[in-house]
Amino acid sequence: MITRRGFLKFLGGGVGGMMALGGYAFALEPLVRLNVTRYTLTPPGWTPGLKLRVVALADIHACEPWMSASRIASICAQANTLGGDVTVLLGDYATGMNLVTRYVHSDEWSKALATLSAPLGVHAILGNHDWWEDKAAQQIGSGDTFGHRALRDVGIPVYGNQAVRLEKDGHGFWLAGLEDQLALLPGKKWNRQWMTGLDDLDGTLAQVTDDAPVILLAHEPDIFPKVPKRVSLTLSGHTHGGQVRLFGRSPVVPSRFGDRYAYGHVVENDRNIIISGGLGCSIAPIRFGSPPEIVVIDLG
C-alpha cells in the first residue's frame, strides 16, 4: 500500500520527468539536433551506370527562435558538405505557427538558401504554407507567391507543374516538380467552398520527352497512389514525420492516409517514395522522436 510520502515522491518524479521531456521536445530536439538520414536504392527502370546523389531539404518554416536565417544558413553549409550532385528543396519555407518571437521575411530565408550549391544545381517546389501565408495569392487563386519570387530572385528555380531534364556523366534524368496539392484555402473571403490544389501530375509528366528516369518532387505525399510507375522516385515532405513519433509510428499525421506516408522510404507496387521528416515545426514548436533532418539519397 503506497504511503502519502511515497505518492508525493512518485508524483514529483513524474512531474520532473514530464518537465524534462517537455524541455527536450520544445528545445533540444527542434533547436539543437540535426540528423543526416541516408537512403540507397536502385528504383525499377533506373538507368544502369547512372550514379546520382540527391540532397533534400524540406519544411524549413523560417521563424525565430526556432529557425532563424542564421540557422538556415548553417543547415545549408552542412548540406553542401554531403557531396550531392543535385539539391532539392521540398517546400514550406514560410512559418506555420504563431508561437514565434519574430517572423523571418522571405528576403532573409531565401538569401540563406542561396548559399546552397551542387554541381547540377538547386531546385525547389513550394508547400502549402508558402501559399497559405500569401493573402494576395489566396485572393487571386493562382500565379506567383512571395515564395516563388524570393527563390527566383536568388537564382533558385521553382517548379510549379514543370519538368526539367538534367544530365550526369552522359546519362539523363528528369526532375518534375508539382505545384502544391493544398494551395488554396476554403472560405467565404476567398469565394471557395473546398480546399483546392494546383497540382497537375498528368500535365507535368507530359513534359517528359524520353525514357530517362524521373524524380518527382511533391510537397505532400498524398499524391503517391496516383503516381505512375514511369516515375522512378517521389520525394516529399509536409508531414514532419508527425513531429511526434513513438515506437516507429506517429499519432497525428497531416495526411488523409494517416501513418501510411508519415515518414521514410515506402515501396508500393514497385514504386518508391521517400518522405523527409523535415527541418522546422508547424502548429507548435515540438519535436519528439522526429528530429530535424537533411536527407541524402544515393541512386544507382
Side-chain angles (χ1 to χ4, degrees), residues 236-252:
S236 295
H238 182 64
T239 63
H240 305 188
Q243 280 188 204
V244 174
R245 197 159 179 82
L246 303 169
F247 308 110
R249 294 187 65 83
S250 303
V252 179

Side-chain angles (χ1 to χ4, degrees), residues 164-188:
V164 61
R165 191 181 191 277
L166 303 175
E167 191 170 294
K168 184 194 175 191
D169 299 332
H171 299 293
F173 68 96
W174 292 84
L175 282 183
L178 288 186
E179 195 50 88
D180 191 68
Q181 300 158 56
L182 303 172
L184 303 178
L185 291 164
K188 289 184 178 180

Side-chain angles (χ1 to χ4, degrees), residues 132-250:
W132 293 357
E133 296 294 328
D134 192 321
K135 304 309 179 188
Q138 288 294 313
Q139 186 68 55
I140 297 168
S142 63
D144 283 353
T145 66
F146 60 70
H148 287 97
R149 295 189 293 271
L151 289 165
R152 288 173 182 155
D153 285 349
V154 297
I156 298 175
V158 186
Y159 300 94
N161 300 322
Q162 295 168 300
V164 61
R165 191 181 191 277
L166 303 175
E167 191 170 294
K168 184 194 175 191
D169 299 332
H171 299 293
F173 68 96
W174 292 84
L175 282 183
L178 288 186
E179 195 50 88
D180 191 68
Q181 300 158 56
L182 303 172
L184 303 178
L185 291 164
K188 289 184 178 180
K189 61 181 175 180
W190 314 124
N191 196 29
R192 283 189 294 271
Q193 187 174 0
W194 311 106
M195 185 84 72
T196 305
L198 295 175
D199 54 301
D200 181 0
L201 179 61
D202 292 341
T204 302
L205 296 181
Q207 299 168 41
V208 175
T209 57
D210 61 21
D211 294 332
V214 178
I215 299 172
L216 177 68
L217 312 180
H219 178 67
E220 293 91 358
D222 284 17
I223 194 72
F224 187 59
K226 299 179 181 178
V227 174
K229 291 184 178 180
R230 175 67 183 86
V231 173
S232 298
L233 175 65
T234 301
L235 298 179
S236 295
H238 182 64
T239 63
H240 305 188
Q243 280 188 204
V244 174
R245 197 159 179 82
L246 303 169
F247 308 110
R249 294 187 65 83
S250 303

Side-chain angles (χ1 to χ4, degrees), residues 43 54 67 70 82 85 91 99 147-148 158 188 210 218 243 261 273 278 292 300:
V54 180
M67 190 61 70
S70 61
L82 298 174
D85 298 303
L99 294 172
H148 287 97
V158 186
K188 289 184 178 180
D210 61 21
Q243 280 188 204
Y261 304 129
I273 183 171

Side-chain angles (χ1 to χ4, degrees), residues 287-299:
R287 277 184 177 263
F288 186 85
S290 183
E293 66 176 13
I294 302 170
V295 172
V296 177
I297 308 111
D298 286 305
L299 295 163

Side-chain angles (χ1 to χ4, degrees), residues 109-128:
W109 56 252
S110 61
K111 288 176 182 175
L113 290 173
T115 62
L116 288 166
S117 63
L120 299 179
V122 180
H123 308 261
I125 58 172
L126 293 193
N128 56 302

Side-chain angles (χ1 to χ4, degrees), residues 37-43 53 265 272 274 296-300:
T37 304
R38 299 179 183 271
Y39 301 92
T40 301
L41 62 150
T42 304
R53 175 169 288 185
H265 182 196
N272 289 264
I274 292 174
V296 177
I297 308 111
D298 286 305
L299 295 163

